[in-house]
PDB file of all heavy atoms in Angstrom:
ATOM      1  N   GLU R  24      35.157  40.858 -12.460  1.00 98.00           N
ATOM      2  CA  GLU R  24      34.524  40.975 -13.779  1.00 98.00           C
ATOM      3  C   GLU R  24      34.916  39.823 -14.697  1.00 98.00           C
ATOM      4  O   GLU R  24      35.838  39.058 -14.393  1.00 98.00           O
ATOM      5  CB  GLU R  24      34.910  42.307 -14.425  1.00 98.00           C
ATOM      6  CG  GLU R  24      36.406  42.460 -14.618  1.00 98.00           C
ATOM      7  CD  GLU R  24      36.765  43.291 -15.822  1.00 98.00           C
ATOM      8  OE1 GLU R  24      36.140  43.107 -16.878  1.00 98.00           O
ATOM      9  OE2 GLU R  24      37.697  44.104 -15.713  1.00 98.00           O
ATOM     10  N   THR R  26      34.938  40.406 -18.434  1.00 98.00           N
ATOM     11  CA  THR R  26      35.469  40.862 -19.725  1.00 98.00           C
ATOM     12  C   THR R  26      36.983  40.702 -19.779  1.00 98.00           C
ATOM     13  O   THR R  26      37.558  40.425 -20.836  1.00 98.00           O
ATOM     14  CB  THR R  26      35.066  42.329 -19.992  1.00 98.00           C
ATOM     15  OG1 THR R  26      33.654  42.384 -20.101  1.00 98.00           O
ATOM     16  CG2 THR R  26      35.657  42.841 -21.293  1.00 98.00           C
ATOM     17  N   ILE R  27      37.629  40.863 -18.637  1.00 97.00           N
ATOM     18  CA  ILE R  27      39.084  40.646 -18.602  1.00 97.00           C
ATOM     19  C   ILE R  27      39.412  39.200 -19.008  1.00 97.00           C
ATOM     20  O   ILE R  27      40.448  38.940 -19.604  1.00 97.00           O
ATOM     21  CB  ILE R  27      39.624  41.005 -17.196  1.00 97.00           C
ATOM     22  CG1 ILE R  27      41.146  40.990 -17.162  1.00 97.00           C
ATOM     23  CG2 ILE R  27      39.050  40.109 -16.122  1.00 97.00           C
ATOM     24  CD1 ILE R  27      41.727  41.591 -15.900  1.00 97.00           C
ATOM     25  N   HIS R  30      37.933  39.107 -23.116  1.00 97.00           N
ATOM     26  CA  HIS R  30      38.442  40.109 -24.058  1.00 97.00           C
ATOM     27  C   HIS R  30      39.775  40.718 -23.647  1.00 97.00           C
ATOM     28  O   HIS R  30      40.347  41.488 -24.407  1.00 97.00           O
ATOM     29  CB  HIS R  30      37.434  41.256 -24.218  1.00 97.00           C
ATOM     30  CG  HIS R  30      36.153  40.861 -24.879  1.00 97.00           C
ATOM     31  ND1 HIS R  30      35.191  40.096 -24.251  1.00 97.00           N
ATOM     32  CD2 HIS R  30      35.668  41.127 -26.113  1.00 97.00           C
ATOM     33  CE1 HIS R  30      34.174  39.918 -25.082  1.00 97.00           C
ATOM     34  NE2 HIS R  30      34.440  40.523 -26.217  1.00 97.00           N
ATOM     35  N   GLY R  31      40.229  40.441 -22.425  1.00 97.00           N
ATOM     36  CA  GLY R  31      41.424  41.125 -21.931  1.00 97.00           C
ATOM     37  C   GLY R  31      42.689  40.296 -21.975  1.00 97.00           C
ATOM     38  O   GLY R  31      43.791  40.842 -21.966  1.00 97.00           O
ATOM     39  N   MET R  32      42.538  38.979 -22.001  1.00 97.00           N
ATOM     40  CA  MET R  32      43.706  38.091 -21.990  1.00 97.00           C
ATOM     41  C   MET R  32      43.441  36.896 -22.893  1.00 97.00           C
ATOM     42  O   MET R  32      42.309  36.442 -23.015  1.00 97.00           O
ATOM     43  CB  MET R  32      43.968  37.557 -20.563  1.00 97.00           C
ATOM     44  CG  MET R  32      44.419  38.607 -19.591  1.00 97.00           C
ATOM     45  SD  MET R  32      44.811  37.878 -17.990  1.00 97.00           S
ATOM     46  CE  MET R  32      45.065  39.398 -17.053  1.00 97.00           C
ATOM     47  N   LYS R  85      30.540  41.416 -25.157  1.00 98.00           N
ATOM     48  CA  LYS R  85      31.114  42.316 -24.151  1.00 98.00           C
ATOM     49  C   LYS R  85      29.976  43.222 -23.688  1.00 98.00           C
ATOM     50  O   LYS R  85      29.526  44.085 -24.427  1.00 98.00           O
ATOM     51  CB  LYS R  85      32.257  43.120 -24.778  1.00 98.00           C
ATOM     52  CG  LYS R  85      32.877  44.168 -23.863  1.00 98.00           C
ATOM     53  CD  LYS R  85      34.021  44.895 -24.587  1.00 98.00           C
ATOM     54  CE  LYS R  85      34.429  46.152 -23.847  1.00 98.00           C
ATOM     55  NZ  LYS R  85      35.476  46.905 -24.570  1.00 98.00           N
ATOM     56  N   THR R 103      30.839  40.582 -18.513  1.00 98.00           N
ATOM     57  CA  THR R 103      30.498  41.915 -18.017  1.00 98.00           C
ATOM     58  C   THR R 103      31.751  42.784 -17.873  1.00 98.00           C
ATOM     59  O   THR R 103      32.778  42.339 -17.377  1.00 98.00           O
ATOM     60  CB  THR R 103      29.781  41.811 -16.651  1.00 98.00           C
ATOM     61  OG1 THR R 103      30.546  40.952 -15.783  1.00 98.00           O
ATOM     62  CG2 THR R 103      28.391  41.232 -16.813  1.00 98.00           C
ATOM     63  N   THR R 104      31.632  44.027 -18.338  1.00 98.00           N
ATOM     64  CA  THR R 104      32.711  45.012 -18.179  1.00 98.00           C
ATOM     65  C   THR R 104      32.704  45.518 -16.734  1.00 98.00           C
ATOM     66  O   THR R 104      31.853  45.126 -15.925  1.00 98.00           O
ATOM     67  CB  THR R 104      32.479  46.228 -19.083  1.00 98.00           C
ATOM     68  OG1 THR R 104      31.266  46.850 -18.653  1.00 98.00           O
ATOM     69  CG2 THR R 104      32.385  45.847 -20.553  1.00 98.00           C
ATOM     70  N   VAL R 105      33.592  46.455 -16.457  1.00 98.00           N
ATOM     71  CA  VAL R 105      33.602  47.078 -15.127  1.00 98.00           C
ATOM     72  C   VAL R 105      32.225  47.689 -14.835  1.00 98.00           C
ATOM     73  O   VAL R 105      31.652  47.469 -13.759  1.00 98.00           O
ATOM     74  CB  VAL R 105      34.722  48.140 -15.024  1.00 98.00           C
ATOM     75  CG1 VAL R 105      34.548  48.991 -13.773  1.00 98.00           C
ATOM     76  CG2 VAL R 105      36.088  47.459 -15.032  1.00 98.00           C
ATOM     77  N   ALA R 106      31.672  48.434 -15.798  1.00 98.00           N
ATOM     78  CA  ALA R 106      30.375  49.090 -15.560  1.00 98.00           C
ATOM     79  C   ALA R 106      29.284  48.067 -15.266  1.00 98.00           C
ATOM     80  O   ALA R 106      28.550  48.181 -14.273  1.00 98.00           O
ATOM     81  CB  ALA R 106      29.995  49.944 -16.774  1.00 98.00           C
ATOM     82  N   THR R 122      39.523  44.595 -10.220  1.00 98.00           N
ATOM     83  CA  THR R 122      39.781  44.409 -11.648  1.00 98.00           C
ATOM     84  C   THR R 122      41.224  44.784 -11.932  1.00 98.00           C
ATOM     85  O   THR R 122      42.007  45.005 -11.001  1.00 98.00           O
ATOM     86  CB  THR R 122      38.798  45.230 -12.501  1.00 98.00           C
ATOM     87  OG1 THR R 122      39.058  44.965 -13.883  1.00 98.00           O
ATOM     88  CG2 THR R 122      38.931  46.724 -12.249  1.00 98.00           C
ATOM     89  N   GLY R 123      41.563  44.851 -13.237  1.00 97.00           N
ATOM     90  CA  GLY R 123      42.905  45.278 -13.610  1.00 97.00           C
ATOM     91  C   GLY R 123      42.963  46.794 -13.700  1.00 97.00           C
ATOM     92  O   GLY R 123      43.522  47.476 -12.839  1.00 97.00           O
ATOM     93  N   GLY R 124      42.373  47.304 -14.759  1.00 96.00           N
ATOM     94  CA  GLY R 124      42.321  48.757 -14.934  1.00 96.00           C
ATOM     95  C   GLY R 124      40.973  49.129 -15.501  1.00 96.00           C
ATOM     96  O   GLY R 124      40.442  48.416 -16.354  1.00 96.00           O
ATOM     97  N   ILE R 125      40.407  50.211 -15.044  1.00 97.00           N
ATOM     98  CA  ILE R 125      39.098  50.612 -15.571  1.00 97.00           C
ATOM     99  C   ILE R 125      39.263  51.230 -16.966  1.00 97.00           C
ATOM    100  O   ILE R 125      40.358  51.631 -17.366  1.00 97.00           O
ATOM    101  CB  ILE R 125      38.405  51.647 -14.645  1.00 97.00           C
ATOM    102  CG1 ILE R 125      39.232  52.932 -14.534  1.00 97.00           C
ATOM    103  CG2 ILE R 125      38.137  51.034 -13.279  1.00 97.00           C
ATOM    104  CD1 ILE R 125      38.407  54.141 -14.162  1.00 97.00           C
ATOM    105  N   GLY R 126      38.160  51.291 -17.695  1.00 97.00           N
ATOM    106  CA  GLY R 126      38.138  52.044 -18.940  1.00 97.00           C
ATOM    107  C   GLY R 126      38.110  53.530 -18.620  1.00 97.00           C
ATOM    108  O   GLY R 126      37.848  53.924 -17.481  1.00 97.00           O
ATOM    109  N   GLY R 127      38.402  54.382 -19.616  1.00 97.00           N
ATOM    110  CA  GLY R 127      38.414  55.819 -19.355  1.00 97.00           C
ATOM    111  C   GLY R 127      38.282  56.613 -20.642  1.00 97.00           C
ATOM    112  O   GLY R 127      37.666  56.142 -21.603  1.00 97.00           O
ATOM    113  N   HIS R 129      39.563  57.836 -23.987  1.00 96.00           N
ATOM    114  CA  HIS R 129      40.583  57.429 -24.957  1.00 96.00           C
ATOM    115  C   HIS R 129      41.305  58.642 -25.520  1.00 96.00           C
ATOM    116  O   HIS R 129      40.752  59.741 -25.576  1.00 96.00           O
ATOM    117  CB  HIS R 129      39.947  56.606 -26.082  1.00 96.00           C
ATOM    118  CG  HIS R 129      39.689  55.186 -25.684  1.00 96.00           C
ATOM    119  ND1 HIS R 129      40.603  54.176 -25.877  1.00 96.00           N
ATOM    120  CD2 HIS R 129      38.639  54.633 -25.033  1.00 96.00           C
ATOM    121  CE1 HIS R 129      40.118  53.048 -25.379  1.00 96.00           C
ATOM    122  NE2 HIS R 129      38.920  53.297 -24.861  1.00 96.00           N
ATOM    123  N   ASP R 137      35.108  58.836 -27.571  1.00 96.00           N
ATOM    124  CA  ASP R 137      35.185  57.516 -26.943  1.00 96.00           C
ATOM    125  C   ASP R 137      35.575  57.644 -25.469  1.00 96.00           C
ATOM    126  O   ASP R 137      36.743  57.794 -25.130  1.00 96.00           O
ATOM    127  CB  ASP R 137      36.180  56.630 -27.698  1.00 96.00           C
ATOM    128  CG  ASP R 137      36.144  55.171 -27.226  1.00 96.00           C
ATOM    129  OD1 ASP R 137      35.524  54.895 -26.177  1.00 96.00           O
ATOM    130  OD2 ASP R 137      36.729  54.308 -27.900  1.00 96.00           O
ATOM    131  N   SER R 139      34.786  55.633 -21.821  1.00 97.00           N
ATOM    132  CA  SER R 139      34.210  54.389 -21.306  1.00 97.00           C
ATOM    133  C   SER R 139      33.026  54.657 -20.379  1.00 97.00           C
ATOM    134  O   SER R 139      33.036  55.585 -19.560  1.00 97.00           O
ATOM    135  CB  SER R 139      35.273  53.603 -20.548  1.00 97.00           C
ATOM    136  OG  SER R 139      34.698  52.443 -19.977  1.00 97.00           O
ATOM    137  N   ALA R 140      32.024  53.801 -20.493  1.00 98.00           N
ATOM    138  CA  ALA R 140      30.867  53.852 -19.586  1.00 98.00           C
ATOM    139  C   ALA R 140      31.268  53.534 -18.148  1.00 98.00           C
ATOM    140  O   ALA R 140      30.496  53.783 -17.218  1.00 98.00           O
ATOM    141  CB  ALA R 140      29.803  52.872 -20.065  1.00 98.00           C
ATOM    142  N   ASP R 141      32.481  53.012 -17.966  1.00 98.00           N
ATOM    143  CA  ASP R 141      32.952  52.727 -16.593  1.00 98.00           C
ATOM    144  C   ASP R 141      32.957  53.996 -15.737  1.00 98.00           C
ATOM    145  O   ASP R 141      32.701  53.938 -14.523  1.00 98.00           O
ATOM    146  CB  ASP R 141      34.376  52.151 -16.603  1.00 98.00           C
ATOM    147  CG  ASP R 141      34.465  50.771 -17.244  1.00 98.00           C
ATOM    148  OD1 ASP R 141      33.419  50.167 -17.539  1.00 98.00           O
ATOM    149  OD2 ASP R 141      35.607  50.311 -17.459  1.00 98.00           O
ATOM    150  N   LYS R 158      43.916  52.279 -17.593  1.00 89.00           N
ATOM    151  CA  LYS R 158      44.926  51.696 -18.489  1.00 89.00           C
ATOM    152  C   LYS R 158      45.738  52.791 -19.173  1.00 89.00           C
ATOM    153  O   LYS R 158      45.193  53.800 -19.615  1.00 89.00           O
ATOM    154  CB  LYS R 158      44.237  50.827 -19.536  1.00 89.00           C
ATOM    155  CG  LYS R 158      43.596  49.597 -18.938  1.00 89.00           C
ATOM    156  CD  LYS R 158      43.098  48.689 -20.042  1.00 89.00           C
ATOM    157  CE  LYS R 158      41.989  47.803 -19.537  1.00 89.00           C
ATOM    158  NZ  LYS R 158      40.760  48.511 -19.203  1.00 89.00           N
ATOM    159  N   LEU R 161      45.085  54.954 -22.340  1.00 97.00           N
ATOM    160  CA  LEU R 161      44.094  56.036 -22.335  1.00 97.00           C
ATOM    161  C   LEU R 161      44.760  57.394 -22.209  1.00 97.00           C
ATOM    162  O   LEU R 161      45.970  57.501 -22.025  1.00 97.00           O
ATOM    163  CB  LEU R 161      43.132  55.820 -21.159  1.00 97.00           C
ATOM    164  CG  LEU R 161      42.379  54.490 -21.200  1.00 97.00           C
ATOM    165  CD1 LEU R 161      41.748  54.193 -19.856  1.00 97.00           C
ATOM    166  CD2 LEU R 161      41.324  54.511 -22.299  1.00 97.00           C
ATOM    167  N   PHE R 188      48.582  51.590 -14.516  1.00 97.00           N
ATOM    168  CA  PHE R 188      48.340  50.196 -14.915  1.00 97.00           C
ATOM    169  C   PHE R 188      49.638  49.398 -14.911  1.00 97.00           C
ATOM    170  O   PHE R 188      50.037  48.945 -13.851  1.00 97.00           O
ATOM    171  CB  PHE R 188      47.634  50.177 -16.275  1.00 97.00           C
ATOM    172  CG  PHE R 188      46.935  48.886 -16.610  1.00 97.00           C
ATOM    173  CD1 PHE R 188      45.875  48.423 -15.863  1.00 97.00           C
ATOM    174  CD2 PHE R 188      47.328  48.129 -17.708  1.00 97.00           C
ATOM    175  CE1 PHE R 188      45.219  47.229 -16.192  1.00 97.00           C
ATOM    176  CE2 PHE R 188      46.688  46.929 -18.043  1.00 97.00           C
ATOM    177  CZ  PHE R 188      45.637  46.496 -17.289  1.00 97.00           C
ATOM    178  N   ALA R 258      34.809  51.822 -31.114  1.00 93.00           N
ATOM    179  CA  ALA R 258      33.842  51.432 -30.080  1.00 93.00           C
ATOM    180  C   ALA R 258      34.377  50.316 -29.174  1.00 93.00           C
ATOM    181  O   ALA R 258      35.507  50.376 -28.723  1.00 93.00           O
ATOM    182  CB  ALA R 258      32.495  51.070 -30.718  1.00 93.00           C
ATOM    183  N   LYS R 259      33.569  49.285 -28.957  1.00 95.00           N
ATOM    184  CA  LYS R 259      33.926  48.223 -28.008  1.00 95.00           C
ATOM    185  C   LYS R 259      35.194  47.477 -28.367  1.00 95.00           C
ATOM    186  O   LYS R 259      35.786  46.803 -27.532  1.00 95.00           O
ATOM    187  CB  LYS R 259      32.811  47.166 -27.995  1.00 95.00           C
ATOM    188  CG  LYS R 259      31.625  47.500 -27.178  1.00 95.00           C
ATOM    189  CD  LYS R 259      30.592  46.409 -27.428  1.00 95.00           C
ATOM    190  CE  LYS R 259      29.286  46.744 -26.778  1.00 95.00           C
ATOM    191  NZ  LYS R 259      29.322  46.608 -25.336  1.00 95.00           N
ATOM    192  N   THR R 262      39.579  48.759 -26.857  1.00 95.00           N
ATOM    193  CA  THR R 262      40.364  48.300 -25.701  1.00 95.00           C
ATOM    194  C   THR R 262      40.907  46.879 -25.903  1.00 95.00           C
ATOM    195  O   THR R 262      42.112  46.662 -25.716  1.00 95.00           O
ATOM    196  CB  THR R 262      39.530  48.444 -24.408  1.00 95.00           C
ATOM    197  OG1 THR R 262      39.263  49.845 -24.214  1.00 95.00           O
ATOM    198  CG2 THR R 262      40.259  47.899 -23.198  1.00 95.00           C
ATOM    199  N   PRO R 263      40.074  45.896 -26.316  1.00 96.00           N
ATOM    200  CA  PRO R 263      40.629  44.555 -26.546  1.00 96.00           C
ATOM    201  C   PRO R 263      41.739  44.544 -27.606  1.00 96.00           C
ATOM    202  O   PRO R 263      42.753  43.857 -27.445  1.00 96.00           O
ATOM    203  CB  PRO R 263      39.418  43.732 -27.009  1.00 96.00           C
ATOM    204  CG  PRO R 263      38.244  44.440 -26.414  1.00 96.00           C
ATOM    205  CD  PRO R 263      38.598  45.899 -26.438  1.00 96.00           C
ATOM    206  N   LEU R 266      45.000  46.081 -26.016  1.00 96.00           N
ATOM    207  CA  LEU R 266      45.615  45.175 -25.030  1.00 96.00           C
ATOM    208  C   LEU R 266      46.323  44.019 -25.736  1.00 96.00           C
ATOM    209  O   LEU R 266      47.454  43.654 -25.386  1.00 96.00           O
ATOM    210  CB  LEU R 266      44.554  44.632 -24.063  1.00 96.00           C
ATOM    211  CG  LEU R 266      43.981  45.628 -23.057  1.00 96.00           C
ATOM    212  CD1 LEU R 266      42.878  44.965 -22.230  1.00 96.00           C
ATOM    213  CD2 LEU R 266      45.061  46.178 -22.130  1.00 96.00           C
ATOM    214  N   ASN R 281      50.080  42.485 -16.318  1.00 98.00           N
ATOM    215  CA  ASN R 281      48.627  42.569 -16.146  1.00 98.00           C
ATOM    216  C   ASN R 281      48.155  41.528 -15.129  1.00 98.00           C
ATOM    217  O   ASN R 281      47.360  41.825 -14.228  1.00 98.00           O
ATOM    218  CB  ASN R 281      47.961  42.336 -17.514  1.00 98.00           C
ATOM    219  CG  ASN R 281      46.534  42.827 -17.576  1.00 98.00           C
ATOM    220  OD1 ASN R 281      45.897  43.073 -16.560  1.00 98.00           O
ATOM    221  ND2 ASN R 281      46.010  42.969 -18.768  1.00 98.00           N
ATOM    222  N   LEU R 284      49.222  42.578 -11.556  1.00 98.00           N
ATOM    223  CA  LEU R 284      48.484  43.711 -10.969  1.00 98.00           C
ATOM    224  C   LEU R 284      47.056  43.323 -10.595  1.00 98.00           C
ATOM    225  O   LEU R 284      46.520  43.796  -9.590  1.00 98.00           O
ATOM    226  CB  LEU R 284      48.549  44.952 -11.883  1.00 98.00           C
ATOM    227  CG  LEU R 284      47.856  44.940 -13.249  1.00 98.00           C
ATOM    228  CD1 LEU R 284      46.401  45.332 -13.169  1.00 98.00           C
ATOM    229  CD2 LEU R 284      48.594  45.886 -14.196  1.00 98.00           C
ATOM    230  N   VAL R 285      46.417  42.463 -11.372  1.00 98.00           N
ATOM    231  CA  VAL R 285      45.056  42.031 -11.009  1.00 98.00           C
ATOM    232  C   VAL R 285      45.094  41.265  -9.684  1.00 98.00           C
ATOM    233  O   VAL R 285      44.254  41.471  -8.808  1.00 98.00           O
ATOM    234  CB  VAL R 285      44.417  41.120 -12.090  1.00 98.00           C
ATOM    235  CG1 VAL R 285      42.982  40.799 -11.745  1.00 98.00           C
ATOM    236  CG2 VAL R 285      44.461  41.763 -13.441  1.00 98.00           C
TER     237      VAL R 285
HETATM  238  N1  LIG V 401      41.078  45.488 -16.984  1.00 67.89           N
HETATM  239  C1  LIG V 401      41.981  44.645 -17.543  1.00 67.89           C
HETATM  240  N2  LIG V 401      41.651  44.114 -18.759  1.00 67.89           N
HETATM  241  C2  LIG V 401      40.433  44.360 -19.384  1.00 67.89           C
HETATM  242  C3  LIG V 401      39.501  45.251 -18.783  1.00 67.89           C
HETATM  243  C4  LIG V 401      39.881  45.784 -17.572  1.00 67.89           C
HETATM  244  O1  LIG V 401      43.062  44.406 -16.984  1.00 67.89           O
HETATM  245  O2  LIG V 401      40.175  43.820 -20.448  1.00 67.89           O
HETATM  246  C5  LIG V 401      38.150  45.550 -19.446  1.00 67.89           C
HETATM  247  C6  LIG V 401      37.124  45.928 -18.394  1.00 67.89           C
HETATM  248  O3  LIG V 401      36.022  45.066 -18.526  1.00 67.89           O
HETATM  249  C7  LIG V 401      36.737  47.364 -18.730  1.00 67.89           C
HETATM  250  C8  LIG V 401      36.883  47.355 -20.204  1.00 67.89           C
HETATM  251  O4  LIG V 401      35.432  47.689 -18.299  1.00 67.89           O
HETATM  252  O5  LIG V 401      38.142  46.647 -20.371  1.00 67.89           O
HETATM  253  C9  LIG V 401      36.900  48.755 -20.763  1.00 67.89           C
HETATM  254  O6  LIG V 401      36.402  48.719 -22.063  1.00 67.89           O
HETATM  255  P1  LIG V 401      35.923  50.070 -22.813  1.00 67.89           P
HETATM  256  O7  LIG V 401      37.177  50.883 -22.923  1.00 67.89           O
HETATM  257  O8  LIG V 401      35.404  49.595 -24.159  1.00 67.89           O
HETATM  258  O9  LIG V 401      34.858  50.700 -21.974  1.00 67.89           O
END
Side-chain angles (χ1 to χ4, degrees):
E24 60 149 317
T26 296
I27 188 169
H30 293 73
M32 292 184 188
K85 176 179 166 183
T103 50
T104 63
V105 168
T122 183
I125 62 156
H129 281 269
D137 189 348
S139 176
D141 293 351
K158 293 188 204 68
L161 301 165
F188 199 63
K259 280 174 187 287
T262 296
L266 289 176
N281 199 343
L284 67 86
V285 185

